[in-house]
Amino acid sequence: MVAQTRDGHVLLVKKLGGLLAIIAGCLLTAVGVTFESGGTTFLGVLFLIVGAILLVLKIMKRNEGSSLP
């Protein structure tokens, strides 16, 4: 079942933004490591971190009302 939320668009943007940031981070990190470019590797890792944070925020917002037994 899908829960309806008032801010569904915000959750969708966080999910898609997080996934795109993780994909871009993986690609940039791989290119940076391959060509031994420290700046590109750092940028890739930064994108990975931002993507992970966006996904965690999305999950936390979704589970805000539920309680663990």
Side-chain angles (χ1 to χ4, degrees):
M1 294 195 170
V2 177
Q4 296 293 329
T5 61
R6 291 174 293 177
D7 53 356
H9 295 296
V10 173
L11 294 177
L12 180 64
V13 168
K14 284 183 182 177
K15 180 187 253 183
L16 290 177
L19 289 175
L20 289 175
I22 288 175
I23 291 170
C26 287
L27 291 173
L28 285 172
T29 303
V31 168
V33 169
T34 301
F35 294 113
E36 298 177 0
S37 171
T40 307
T41 304
F42 175 76
L43 191 62
V45 171
L46 189 65
F47 269 100
L48 283 170
I49 292 170
V50 168
I53 289 172
L54 285 175
L55 289 178
V56 166
L57 288 174
K58 184 248 181 230
I59 292 168
M60 287 175 54
K61 182 70 174 174
R62 183 186 65 193
N63 294 333
E64 197 171 70
S66 65
S67 61
L68 296 174

CSV table of all heavy atoms in Angstrom, one decimal:
chain,number,residue,atom,x,y,z
A,1,MET,N,0.8,-1.2,0.0
A,1,MET,CA,0.0,0.0,0.0
A,1,MET,C,0.9,1.2,0.0
A,1,MET,O,1.9,1.3,0.6
A,1,MET,CB,-0.9,0.0,1.2
A,1,MET,CG,-1.9,-1.1,1.3
A,1,MET,SD,-3.1,-0.6,2.5
A,1,MET,CE,-4.3,-1.9,2.1
A,2,VAL,N,0.4,2.2,-0.7
A,2,VAL,CA,1.1,3.5,-0.8
A,2,VAL,C,0.5,4.5,0.2
A,2,VAL,O,-0.7,4.7,0.1
A,2,VAL,CB,1.1,4.0,-2.2
A,2,VAL,CG1,1.8,5.3,-2.3
A,2,VAL,CG2,1.7,3.0,-3.1
A,3,ALA,N,1.3,5.1,1.0
A,3,ALA,CA,0.8,6.1,1.9
A,3,ALA,C,0.8,7.5,1.2
A,3,ALA,O,1.7,7.8,0.5
A,3,ALA,CB,1.7,6.2,3.1
A,4,GLN,N,-0.3,8.2,1.4
A,4,GLN,CA,-0.4,9.5,0.8
A,4,GLN,C,0.2,10.5,1.7
A,4,GLN,O,-0.1,10.5,2.9
A,4,GLN,CB,-1.9,9.8,0.5
A,4,GLN,CG,-2.5,8.9,-0.5
A,4,GLN,CD,-1.9,9.1,-1.9
A,4,GLN,OE1,-1.5,10.2,-2.3
A,4,GLN,NE2,-1.9,8.1,-2.7
A,5,THR,N,1.0,11.4,1.2
A,5,THR,CA,1.6,12.5,2.0
A,5,THR,C,1.3,13.8,1.4
A,5,THR,O,1.0,13.9,0.2
A,5,THR,CB,3.1,12.3,2.2
A,5,THR,OG1,3.7,12.4,0.9
A,5,THR,CG2,3.4,11.0,2.8
A,6,ARG,N,1.3,14.8,2.3
A,6,ARG,CA,1.1,16.2,1.8
A,6,ARG,C,2.2,16.7,0.9
A,6,ARG,O,2.0,17.4,-0.1
A,6,ARG,CB,0.9,17.2,2.9
A,6,ARG,CG,-0.4,16.9,3.7
A,6,ARG,CD,-0.4,17.8,4.9
A,6,ARG,NE,0.7,17.3,5.8
A,6,ARG,CZ,1.1,17.9,6.9
A,6,ARG,NH1,0.5,19.0,7.3
A,6,ARG,NH2,2.1,17.4,7.6
A,7,ASP,N,3.4,16.3,1.3
A,7,ASP,CA,4.6,16.7,0.5
A,7,ASP,C,5.2,15.6,-0.3
A,7,ASP,O,6.4,15.4,-0.2
A,7,ASP,CB,5.6,17.3,1.5
A,7,ASP,CG,5.9,16.4,2.7
A,7,ASP,OD1,5.3,15.3,2.8
A,7,ASP,OD2,6.8,16.8,3.4
A,8,GLY,N,4.4,14.9,-1.1
A,8,GLY,CA,4.8,13.8,-1.9
A,8,GLY,C,5.9,14.2,-2.9
A,8,GLY,O,6.8,13.5,-3.2
A,9,HIS,N,5.8,15.5,-3.4
A,9,HIS,CA,6.7,15.9,-4.4
A,9,HIS,C,8.1,16.1,-3.8
A,9,HIS,O,9.1,15.8,-4.5
A,9,HIS,CB,6.3,17.2,-5.1
A,9,HIS,CG,5.0,17.1,-5.8
A,9,HIS,ND1,5.0,16.3,-7.0
A,9,HIS,CD2,3.8,17.6,-5.7
A,9,HIS,CE1,3.7,16.3,-7.5
A,9,HIS,NE2,3.0,17.1,-6.7
A,10,VAL,N,8.2,16.5,-2.6
A,10,VAL,CA,9.5,16.7,-1.9
A,10,VAL,C,10.1,15.4,-1.7
A,10,VAL,O,11.3,15.2,-1.9
A,10,VAL,CB,9.3,17.4,-0.5
A,10,VAL,CG1,10.6,17.5,0.2
A,10,VAL,CG2,8.7,18.8,-0.7
A,11,LEU,N,9.3,14.4,-1.3
A,11,LEU,CA,9.9,13.0,-1.1
A,11,LEU,C,10.4,12.5,-2.4
A,11,LEU,O,11.4,11.8,-2.5
A,11,LEU,CB,8.9,12.1,-0.5
A,11,LEU,CG,8.5,12.4,0.9
A,11,LEU,CD1,7.4,11.5,1.4
A,11,LEU,CD2,9.6,12.4,1.9
A,12,LEU,N,9.7,12.7,-3.5
A,12,LEU,CA,10.1,12.2,-4.8
A,12,LEU,C,11.4,12.9,-5.3
A,12,LEU,O,12.3,12.2,-5.8
A,12,LEU,CB,9.0,12.5,-5.9
A,12,LEU,CG,9.3,12.0,-7.3
A,12,LEU,CD1,9.5,10.5,-7.3
A,12,LEU,CD2,8.2,12.4,-8.2
A,13,VAL,N,11.5,14.2,-5.0
A,13,VAL,CA,12.7,14.9,-5.4
A,13,VAL,C,13.9,14.4,-4.6
A,13,VAL,O,15.0,14.2,-5.2
A,13,VAL,CB,12.5,16.4,-5.2
A,13,VAL,CG1,13.8,17.2,-5.3
A,13,VAL,CG2,11.5,17.0,-6.2
A,14,LYS,N,13.7,14.2,-3.3
A,14,LYS,CA,14.8,13.6,-2.5
A,14,LYS,C,15.2,12.2,-3.0
A,14,LYS,O,16.4,11.9,-3.1
A,14,LYS,CB,14.4,13.6,-1.0
A,14,LYS,CG,14.4,14.9,-0.4
A,14,LYS,CD,14.1,14.8,1.1
A,14,LYS,CE,14.0,16.1,1.8
A,14,LYS,NZ,13.6,16.0,3.2
A,15,LYS,N,14.2,11.4,-3.4
A,15,LYS,CA,14.6,10.1,-3.8
A,15,LYS,C,15.3,10.1,-5.1
A,15,LYS,O,16.4,9.5,-5.3
A,15,LYS,CB,13.3,9.3,-4.0
A,15,LYS,CG,13.5,7.8,-4.4
A,15,LYS,CD,12.2,7.1,-4.7
A,15,LYS,CE,11.9,6.1,-3.7
A,15,LYS,NZ,10.7,5.4,-4.0
A,16,LEU,N,14.8,10.8,-6.1
A,16,LEU,CA,15.4,10.9,-7.4
A,16,LEU,C,16.8,11.7,-7.4
A,16,LEU,O,17.7,11.2,-8.0
A,16,LEU,CB,14.5,11.6,-8.4
A,16,LEU,CG,13.3,10.8,-8.9
A,16,LEU,CD1,12.4,11.6,-9.8
A,16,LEU,CD2,13.7,9.5,-9.5
A,17,GLY,N,16.8,12.7,-6.6
A,17,GLY,CA,18.0,13.5,-6.4
A,17,GLY,C,19.1,12.6,-5.8
A,17,GLY,O,20.3,12.7,-6.2
A,18,GLY,N,18.7,11.9,-4.8
A,18,GLY,CA,19.7,11.0,-4.1
A,18,GLY,C,20.2,9.9,-5.0
A,18,GLY,O,21.4,9.7,-5.0
A,19,LEU,N,19.3,9.3,-5.8
A,19,LEU,CA,19.8,8.3,-6.7
A,19,LEU,C,20.7,8.8,-7.8
A,19,LEU,O,21.7,8.2,-8.1
A,19,LEU,CB,18.6,7.6,-7.3
A,19,LEU,CG,17.8,6.7,-6.4
A,19,LEU,CD1,16.5,6.1,-7.1
A,19,LEU,CD2,18.6,5.5,-5.9
A,20,LEU,N,20.3,10.0,-8.3
A,20,LEU,CA,21.1,10.6,-9.4
A,20,LEU,C,22.5,11.0,-8.8
A,20,LEU,O,23.5,10.9,-9.5
A,20,LEU,CB,20.4,11.8,-10.0
A,20,LEU,CG,19.2,11.4,-10.9
A,20,LEU,CD1,18.5,12.7,-11.4
A,20,LEU,CD2,19.7,10.6,-12.1
A,21,ALA,N,22.5,11.5,-7.6
A,21,ALA,CA,23.7,12.0,-7.0
A,21,ALA,C,24.6,10.7,-6.7
A,21,ALA,O,25.9,10.8,-6.9
A,21,ALA,CB,23.5,12.7,-5.7
A,22,ILE,N,24.1,9.6,-6.3
A,22,ILE,CA,24.9,8.4,-6.1
A,22,ILE,C,25.4,7.9,-7.4
A,22,ILE,O,26.6,7.5,-7.5
A,22,ILE,CB,24.0,7.3,-5.4
A,22,ILE,CG1,23.8,7.8,-3.9
A,22,ILE,CG2,24.7,6.0,-5.4
A,22,ILE,CD1,22.9,6.9,-3.1
A,23,ILE,N,24.6,7.9,-8.4
A,23,ILE,CA,25.1,7.4,-9.8
A,23,ILE,C,26.2,8.3,-10.3
A,23,ILE,O,27.3,7.9,-10.7
A,23,ILE,CB,24.0,7.3,-10.8
A,23,ILE,CG1,23.0,6.2,-10.4
A,23,ILE,CG2,24.5,7.1,-12.2
A,23,ILE,CD1,21.7,6.2,-11.1
A,24,ALA,N,26.0,9.7,-10.2
A,24,ALA,CA,27.0,10.6,-10.6
A,24,ALA,C,28.3,10.5,-9.7
A,24,ALA,O,29.4,10.5,-10.3
A,24,ALA,CB,26.5,12.0,-10.5
A,25,GLY,N,28.1,10.2,-8.4
A,25,GLY,CA,29.3,10.1,-7.6
A,25,GLY,C,30.1,8.8,-7.9
A,25,GLY,O,31.3,8.9,-7.9
A,26,CYS,N,29.4,7.7,-8.2
A,26,CYS,CA,30.1,6.5,-8.6
A,26,CYS,C,30.9,6.7,-9.9
A,26,CYS,O,32.1,6.3,-10.0
A,26,CYS,CB,29.1,5.4,-8.8
A,26,CYS,SG,28.4,4.7,-7.3
A,27,LEU,N,30.3,7.4,-10.9
A,27,LEU,CA,31.0,7.6,-12.1
A,27,LEU,C,32.2,8.5,-11.9
A,27,LEU,O,33.3,8.3,-12.4
A,27,LEU,CB,30.0,8.2,-13.1
A,27,LEU,CG,28.9,7.3,-13.7
A,27,LEU,CD1,27.9,8.0,-14.5
A,27,LEU,CD2,29.6,6.1,-14.4
A,28,LEU,N,32.0,9.6,-11.2
A,28,LEU,CA,33.1,10.6,-11.0
A,28,LEU,C,34.2,9.9,-10.2
A,28,LEU,O,35.4,10.2,-10.5
A,28,LEU,CB,32.6,11.8,-10.3
A,28,LEU,CG,31.8,12.8,-11.1
A,28,LEU,CD1,31.2,13.9,-10.3
A,28,LEU,CD2,32.7,13.4,-12.2
A,29,THR,N,33.9,9.1,-9.2
A,29,THR,CA,34.9,8.5,-8.4
A,29,THR,C,35.7,7.5,-9.2
A,29,THR,O,36.9,7.4,-9.2
A,29,THR,CB,34.2,7.7,-7.2
A,29,THR,OG1,33.5,8.7,-6.4
A,29,THR,CG2,35.3,7.1,-6.3
A,30,ALA,N,35.0,6.7,-10.1
A,30,ALA,CA,35.7,5.8,-10.9
A,30,ALA,C,36.6,6.5,-11.9
A,30,ALA,O,37.7,6.1,-12.1
A,30,ALA,CB,34.7,4.9,-11.7
A,31,VAL,N,36.1,7.6,-12.5
A,31,VAL,CA,37.0,8.3,-13.5
A,31,VAL,C,38.2,9.0,-12.7
A,31,VAL,O,39.3,8.9,-13.2
A,31,VAL,CB,36.1,9.4,-14.2
A,31,VAL,CG1,37.0,10.4,-14.9
A,31,VAL,CG2,35.1,8.8,-15.1
A,32,GLY,N,37.9,9.5,-11.5
A,32,GLY,CA,39.0,10.1,-10.8
A,32,GLY,C,40.1,9.1,-10.4
A,32,GLY,O,41.3,9.4,-10.4
A,33,VAL,N,39.6,7.9,-10.0
A,33,VAL,CA,40.6,6.9,-9.6
A,33,VAL,C,41.4,6.4,-10.8
A,33,VAL,O,42.6,6.2,-10.8
A,33,VAL,CB,39.9,5.7,-8.8
A,33,VAL,CG1,40.8,4.5,-8.7
A,33,VAL,CG2,39.4,6.2,-7.5
A,34,THR,N,40.7,6.2,-11.9
A,34,THR,CA,41.3,5.7,-13.1
A,34,THR,C,42.4,6.7,-13.6
A,34,THR,O,43.5,6.2,-14.0
A,34,THR,CB,40.2,5.5,-14.2
A,34,THR,OG1,39.3,4.6,-13.8
A,34,THR,CG2,40.9,5.0,-15.5
A,35,PHE,N,42.1,8.0,-13.7
A,35,PHE,CA,43.0,8.9,-14.2
A,35,PHE,C,43.8,9.6,-13.1
A,35,PHE,O,44.5,10.6,-13.4
A,35,PHE,CB,42.3,10.0,-15.0
A,35,PHE,CG,41.6,9.4,-16.3
A,35,PHE,CD1,40.3,9.4,-16.4
A,35,PHE,CD2,42.4,8.9,-17.3
A,35,PHE,CE1,39.7,8.8,-17.5
A,35,PHE,CE2,41.9,8.4,-18.4
A,35,PHE,CZ,40.5,8.3,-18.6
A,36,GLU,N,43.8,9.1,-11.9
A,36,GLU,CA,44.6,9.6,-10.8
A,36,GLU,C,44.4,11.1,-10.6
A,36,GLU,O,45.3,11.8,-10.4
A,36,GLU,CB,46.0,9.2,-10.9
A,36,GLU,CG,46.3,7.7,-10.9
A,36,GLU,CD,47.7,7.4,-11.2
A,36,GLU,OE1,48.6,8.3,-11.3
A,36,GLU,OE2,48.0,6.2,-11.2
A,37,SER,N,43.1,11.5,-10.6
A,37,SER,CA,42.7,12.9,-10.4
A,37,SER,C,42.1,13.0,-9.0
A,37,SER,O,41.0,12.6,-8.8
A,37,SER,CB,41.8,13.4,-11.5
A,37,SER,OG,41.3,14.6,-11.2
A,38,GLY,N,42.8,13.7,-8.1
A,38,GLY,CA,42.3,13.8,-6.7
A,38,GLY,C,41.1,14.7,-6.6
A,38,GLY,O,40.2,14.4,-5.9
A,39,GLY,N,41.0,15.7,-7.5
A,39,GLY,CA,39.8,16.6,-7.4
A,39,GLY,C,38.6,15.9,-7.9
A,39,GLY,O,37.5,16.0,-7.3
A,40,THR,N,38.7,15.1,-9.0
A,40,THR,CA,37.5,14.4,-9.5
A,40,THR,C,37.1,13.3,-8.5
A,40,THR,O,35.9,13.1,-8.3
A,40,THR,CB,37.9,13.8,-10.8
A,40,THR,OG1,38.4,14.8,-11.7
A,40,THR,CG2,36.6,13.1,-11.5
A,41,THR,N,38.1,12.6,-7.9
A,41,THR,CA,37.7,11.6,-6.9
A,41,THR,C,37.0,12.2,-5.7
A,41,THR,O,36.0,11.7,-5.2
A,41,THR,CB,39.0,10.9,-6.4
A,41,THR,OG1,39.7,10.3,-7.6
A,41,THR,CG2,38.7,9.8,-5.5
A,42,PHE,N,37.5,13.4,-5.2
A,42,PHE,CA,36.9,14.0,-4.1
A,42,PHE,C,35.5,14.5,-4.5
A,42,PHE,O,34.6,14.3,-3.6
A,42,PHE,CB,37.7,15.3,-3.7
A,42,PHE,CG,37.1,16.1,-2.6
A,42,PHE,CD1,37.1,15.7,-1.3
A,42,PHE,CD2,36.5,17.3,-2.9
A,42,PHE,CE1,36.5,16.4,-0.3
A,42,PHE,CE2,35.9,18.0,-1.9
A,42,PHE,CZ,35.9,17.6,-0.6
A,43,LEU,N,35.3,15.0,-5.6
A,43,LEU,CA,34.0,15.4,-6.1
A,43,LEU,C,33.0,14.2,-6.2
A,43,LEU,O,31.8,14.3,-5.8
A,43,LEU,CB,34.0,16.1,-7.4
A,43,LEU,CG,32.8,16.8,-7.9
A,43,LEU,CD1,32.4,18.0,-7.0
A,43,LEU,CD2,33.0,17.4,-9.3
A,44,GLY,N,33.5,13.1,-6.6
A,44,GLY,CA,32.7,11.9,-6.7
A,44,GLY,C,32.3,11.4,-5.3
A,44,GLY,O,31.1,11.0,-5.1
A,45,VAL,N,33.2,11.4,-4.4
A,45,VAL,CA,32.9,11.0,-3.0
A,45,VAL,C,31.9,12.0,-2.4
A,45,VAL,O,31.0,11.5,-1.7
A,45,VAL,CB,34.2,10.8,-2.2
A,45,VAL,CG1,33.9,10.6,-0.7
A,45,VAL,CG2,35.0,9.7,-2.7
A,46,LEU,N,32.1,13.2,-2.7
A,46,LEU,CA,31.1,14.2,-2.2
A,46,LEU,C,29.7,14.0,-2.7
A,46,LEU,O,28.7,14.1,-1.9
A,46,LEU,CB,31.6,15.6,-2.6
A,46,LEU,CG,30.9,16.8,-1.9
A,46,LEU,CD1,31.1,16.8,-0.4
A,46,LEU,CD2,31.4,18.1,-2.5
A,47,PHE,N,29.6,13.7,-4.0
A,47,PHE,CA,28.3,13.4,-4.6
A,47,PHE,C,27.7,12.1,-3.9
A,47,PHE,O,26.5,12.0,-3.7
A,47,PHE,CB,28.4,13.2,-6.1
A,47,PHE,CG,28.1,14.4,-6.9
A,47,PHE,CD1,29.2,15.2,-7.4
A,47,PHE,CD2,26.9,14.9,-7.1
A,47,PHE,CE1,29.0,16.3,-8.1
A,47,PHE,CE2,26.6,16.1,-7.8
A,47,PHE,CZ,27.7,16.8,-8.3
A,48,LEU,N,28.5,11.1,-3.6
A,48,LEU,CA,28.1,9.9,-3.0
A,48,LEU,C,27.5,10.2,-1.6
A,48,LEU,O,26.4,9.7,-1.2
A,48,LEU,CB,29.2,8.9,-2.9
A,48,LEU,CG,29.5,8.1,-4.1
A,48,LEU,CD1,30.8,7.3,-3.9
A,48,LEU,CD2,28.4,7.2,-4.5
A,49,ILE,N,28.2,11.1,-0.9
A,49,ILE,CA,27.7,11.4,0.5
A,49,ILE,C,26.4,12.2,0.4
A,49,ILE,O,25.5,12.0,1.2
A,49,ILE,CB,28.8,12.2,1.2
A,49,ILE,CG1,30.0,11.3,1.5
A,49,ILE,CG2,28.3,12.9,2.5
A,49,ILE,CD1,31.3,12.1,2.0
A,50,VAL,N,26.3,13.2,-0.5
A,50,VAL,CA,25.1,14.0,-0.6
A,50,VAL,C,23.9,13.1,-1.0
A,50,VAL,O,22.8,13.2,-0.5
A,50,VAL,CB,25.3,15.1,-1.7
A,50,VAL,CG1,24.0,15.7,-2.1
A,50,VAL,CG2,26.2,16.1,-1.1
A,51,GLY,N,24.2,12.1,-1.9
A,51,GLY,CA,23.1,11.2,-2.3
A,51,GLY,C,22.6,10.3,-1.2
A,51,GLY,O,21.4,10.1,-1.0
A,52,ALA,N,23.6,9.9,-0.4
A,52,ALA,CA,23.2,9.0,0.8
A,52,ALA,C,22.4,9.8,1.8
A,52,ALA,O,21.4,9.4,2.3
A,52,ALA,CB,24.5,8.4,1.4
A,53,ILE,N,22.8,11.1,2.0
A,53,ILE,CA,22.1,11.9,3.0
A,53,ILE,C,20.7,12.2,2.5
A,53,ILE,O,19.7,12.2,3.3
A,53,ILE,CB,22.9,13.2,3.2
A,53,ILE,CG1,24.1,13.0,4.0
A,53,ILE,CG2,22.0,14.3,3.9
A,53,ILE,CD1,25.1,14.1,4.1
A,54,LEU,N,20.5,12.5,1.2
A,54,LEU,CA,19.2,12.7,0.7
A,54,LEU,C,18.3,11.5,0.8
A,54,LEU,O,17.1,11.6,1.2
A,54,LEU,CB,19.2,13.1,-0.8
A,54,LEU,CG,19.7,14.5,-1.1
A,54,LEU,CD1,19.8,14.8,-2.6
A,54,LEU,CD2,18.8,15.6,-0.5
A,55,LEU,N,18.8,10.3,0.6
A,55,LEU,CA,18.0,9.1,0.7
A,55,LEU,C,17.7,8.9,2.2
A,55,LEU,O,16.6,8.4,2.5
A,55,LEU,CB,18.7,7.9,0.1
A,55,LEU,CG,18.8,7.9,-1.4
A,55,LEU,CD1,19.5,6.7,-1.9
A,55,LEU,CD2,17.4,7.9,-2.0
A,56,VAL,N,18.6,9.1,3.1
A,56,VAL,CA,18.3,8.9,4.5
A,56,VAL,C,17.3,9.9,5.0
A,56,VAL,O,16.4,9.5,5.8
A,56,VAL,CB,19.6,9.1,5.3
A,56,VAL,CG1,19.3,9.2,6.8
A,56,VAL,CG2,20.5,7.9,5.1
A,57,LEU,N,17.3,11.2,4.5
A,57,LEU,CA,16.3,12.1,4.9
A,57,LEU,C,14.9,11.7,4.4
A,57,LEU,O,13.9,11.9,5.1
A,57,LEU,CB,16.7,13.5,4.4
A,57,LEU,CG,17.8,14.2,5.0
A,57,LEU,CD1,18.2,15.5,4.3
A,57,LEU,CD2,17.5,14.5,6.5
A,58,LYS,N,14.9,11.2,3.2
A,58,LYS,CA,13.6,10.7,2.6
A,58,LYS,C,13.1,9.6,3.5
A,58,LYS,O,11.9,9.5,3.8
A,58,LYS,CB,13.9,10.3,1.2
A,58,LYS,CG,12.6,9.9,0.5
A,58,LYS,CD,12.7,8.4,0.2
A,58,LYS,CE,11.4,8.0,-0.5
A,58,LYS,NZ,10.8,6.8,0.1
A,59,ILE,N,13.9,8.6,3.9
A,59,ILE,CA,13.4,7.5,4.7
A,59,ILE,C,13.0,7.9,6.1
A,59,ILE,O,12.0,7.5,6.6
A,59,ILE,CB,14.5,6.4,4.7
A,59,ILE,CG1,14.8,5.8,3.4
A,59,ILE,CG2,14.2,5.4,5.8
A,59,ILE,CD1,16.0,4.9,3.3
A,60,MET,N,13.7,8.9,6.7
A,60,MET,CA,13.4,9.4,8.0
A,60,MET,C,12.0,10.1,7.9
A,60,MET,O,11.2,9.9,8.8
A,60,MET,CB,14.5,10.3,8.5
A,60,MET,CG,15.7,9.6,9.0
A,60,MET,SD,17.0,10.7,9.5
A,60,MET,CE,16.3,11.7,10.7
A,61,LYS,N,11.8,10.9,6.9
A,61,LYS,CA,10.5,11.6,6.7
A,61,LYS,C,9.4,10.6,6.5
A,61,LYS,O,8.3,10.8,7.1
A,61,LYS,CB,10.6,12.6,5.6
A,61,LYS,CG,9.4,13.4,5.3
A,61,LYS,CD,9.3,14.4,6.5
A,61,LYS,CE,8.1,15.3,6.1
A,61,LYS,NZ,7.8,16.2,7.2
A,62,ARG,N,9.6,9.6,5.8
A,62,ARG,CA,8.6,8.6,5.5
A,62,ARG,C,8.2,7.8,6.8
A,62,ARG,O,7.0,7.5,7.0
A,62,ARG,CB,9.0,7.6,4.4
A,62,ARG,CG,8.0,6.6,4.1
A,62,ARG,CD,8.5,5.6,3.1
A,62,ARG,NE,9.5,4.8,3.8
A,62,ARG,CZ,10.3,4.0,3.3
A,62,ARG,NH1,10.3,3.8,2.0
A,62,ARG,NH2,11.2,3.3,4.0
A,63,ASN,N,9.2,7.5,7.6
A,63,ASN,CA,8.9,6.8,8.8
A,63,ASN,C,8.7,7.6,10.1
A,63,ASN,O,8.7,7.1,11.2
A,63,ASN,CB,10.1,5.8,9.1
A,63,ASN,CG,10.3,4.8,8.0
A,63,ASN,OD1,9.3,4.4,7.4
A,63,ASN,ND2,11.5,4.3,7.8
A,64,GLU,N,8.4,8.9,9.9
A,64,GLU,CA,8.3,9.8,11.0
A,64,GLU,C,7.1,9.4,11.9
A,64,GLU,O,7.3,9.5,13.1
A,64,GLU,CB,8.0,11.2,10.4
A,64,GLU,CG,8.2,12.3,11.4
A,64,GLU,CD,8.2,13.6,10.7
A,64,GLU,OE1,7.1,14.0,10.2
A,64,GLU,OE2,9.2,14.3,10.5
A,65,GLY,N,6.0,9.0,11.4
A,65,GLY,CA,4.9,8.7,12.2
A,65,GLY,C,4.8,7.3,12.8
A,65,GLY,O,4.1,7.0,13.7
A,66,SER,N,5.6,6.4,12.3
A,66,SER,CA,5.6,5.0,12.8
A,66,SER,C,6.5,4.8,14.0
A,66,SER,O,7.4,5.5,14.2
A,66,SER,CB,6.0,4.0,11.7
A,66,SER,OG,7.3,4.3,11.3
A,67,SER,N,6.1,3.8,14.8
A,67,SER,CA,6.9,3.6,16.0
A,67,SER,C,7.3,2.1,16.0
A,67,SER,O,6.6,1.2,15.4
A,67,SER,CB,6.1,3.8,17.3
A,67,SER,OG,4.9,3.0,17.3
A,68,LEU,N,8.4,1.8,16.5
A,68,LEU,CA,9.0,0.5,16.6
A,68,LEU,C,8.4,-0.2,17.8
A,68,LEU,O,8.3,0.4,18.9
A,68,LEU,CB,10.5,0.5,16.6
A,68,LEU,CG,11.2,1.0,15.3
A,68,LEU,CD1,12.7,1.1,15.6
A,68,LEU,CD2,10.9,0.2,14.1
A,69,PRO,N,8.1,-1.5,17.7
A,69,PRO,CA,7.6,-2.3,18.9
A,69,PRO,C,8.6,-2.5,19.9
A,69,PRO,O,9.7,-2.5,19.8
A,69,PRO,CB,7.1,-3.6,18.3
A,69,PRO,CG,7.6,-3.7,16.9
A,69,PRO,CD,8.1,-2.3,16.5
